[in-house]
Amino acid sequence: MSNNKRNFLLGSAALAAAAALPMQAASAATEGKDYRLVNPPQRTEVDAGKIEVIEFFWYGCPHCYSLEPIINDWVAKLPDDVQFRRVHVKFRTPSHQRIFYTLLAMGEADKLGLKVFEAIHKDRKRMTGETEIKAWAVANGLDEAKFMSTFNSFGVGTQMSRGERATEVYGVDGVPMMAVNGKYLTSPSMVGTNEGALRVLDELIEKERKGG
């Protein structure tokens, strides 16, 4: 190979590498665009060495409904050092929030969460009155007496209050929204797509894994 040809090939490779750098930089999550800082940072509920991810959501939110199967797949593949939990915001319908914390207390939230979404968005049920909610619970295999006892319990009321407090201190003004380790907030509306928001989550998790 001649020196001229070798130099041309080397120069072309260098130009291609240089051109790739801005594209790589552009793919990185940008503060203020793809995520924002939680101010002040919040204490997490996980052990030292673990990274907490919270999804703030609302059963009545169509965007949360579209995210649900995607984020469930994402959660199923999380490494051991990441712990995921959900916080149901109160917003317009406290009954939806009460359903979530009832299912959570009964150990059924992961199994039946999508069923609640479907009842509201697919079957067009309001899920706001106790009669309708009780009928839904029975139709989905839950013991009526146990469900209603939990639904009206002090413990569920306490969890609802905690959820409201978390929504406030994190500055959540829309859903779905995800928090990473008490420091960062991101959402599909900020990033542009559900899949893009999960990529930003992965990046923020890695950022925390490396020490923030």
Side-chain angles (χ1 to χ4, degrees), residues 9 13 19 29 36 46-47 62 68 82 86-88 92 95 100 107 115 118 122 128 130 136 160 173 178-179 191 211:
L9 291 175
R36 69 176 190 250
V46 297
D47 294 334
E68 180 74 358
V82 180
R86 287 182 165 97
V87 169
H88 194 299
R92 302 182 186 88
S95 60
F100 171 72
K115 295 287 188 182
E118 289 175 345
K122 190 175 176 181
T128 54
E130 283 198 14
W136 174 90
M160 291 173 68
D173 52 8
M178 290 79 80
V191 180

Side-chain angles (χ1 to χ4, degrees), residues 98 102 130 145-157:
R98 188 174 288 276
T102 299
E130 283 198 14
K146 182 178 180 182
F147 178 86
M148 293 310 298
S149 174
T150 308
F151 186 80
N152 293 305
S153 68
F154 176 80
V156 164

Side-chain angles (χ1 to χ4, degrees), residues 152-189:
N152 293 305
S153 68
F154 176 80
V156 164
T158 299
Q159 290 303 311
M160 291 173 68
S161 296
R162 289 187 65 193
E164 290 176 49
R165 175 63 179 159
T167 302
E168 179 183 338
V169 298
Y170 271 90
V172 174
D173 52 8
V175 288
M177 186 168 285
M178 290 79 80
V180 178
N181 232 26
K183 297 179 182 178
Y184 314 103
L185 285 171
T186 188
S187 68
S189 64

Side-chain angles (χ1 to χ4, degrees), residues 13-24:
L15 286 171
L21 288 176
M23 293 178 64
Q24 291 171 357

Side-chain angles (χ1 to χ4, degrees), residues 5-50:
K5 188 172 184 180
R6 183 181 296 109
N7 289 340
F8 172 79
L9 291 175
L10 290 173
S12 297
L15 286 171
L21 288 176
M23 293 178 64
Q24 291 171 357
S27 68
T30 303
E31 181 188 335
K33 175 180 175 291
D34 301 310
Y35 70 93
R36 69 176 190 250
L37 301 181
V38 178
N39 187 22
Q42 297 299 308
R43 225 180 225 186
T44 65
E45 297 184 8
V46 297
D47 294 334
K50 302 290 186 181

Side-chain angles (χ1 to χ4, degrees), residues 63-123:
H63 305 295
C64 299
Y65 177 37
S66 70
L67 178 63
E68 180 74 358
I70 300 170
I71 200 168
N72 284 345
D73 287 344
W74 180 81
V75 169
K77 299 169 187 173
L78 285 177
D80 292 340
D81 66 337
V82 180
Q83 293 187 6
F84 175 84
R85 66 185 177 95
R86 287 182 165 97
V87 169
H88 194 299
V89 301
K90 185 177 181 180
F91 285 4
R92 302 182 186 88
T93 46
S95 60
H96 291 176
Q97 186 190 37
R98 188 174 288 276
I99 292 169
F100 171 72
Y101 286 110
T102 299
L103 294 176
L104 190 66
M106 296 178 70
E108 300 283 356
D110 290 340
K111 178 183 175 182
L112 295 178
L114 185 57
K115 295 287 188 182
V116 182
F117 276 118
E118 289 175 345
I120 296 168
H121 300 281
K122 190 175 176 181
D123 302 332

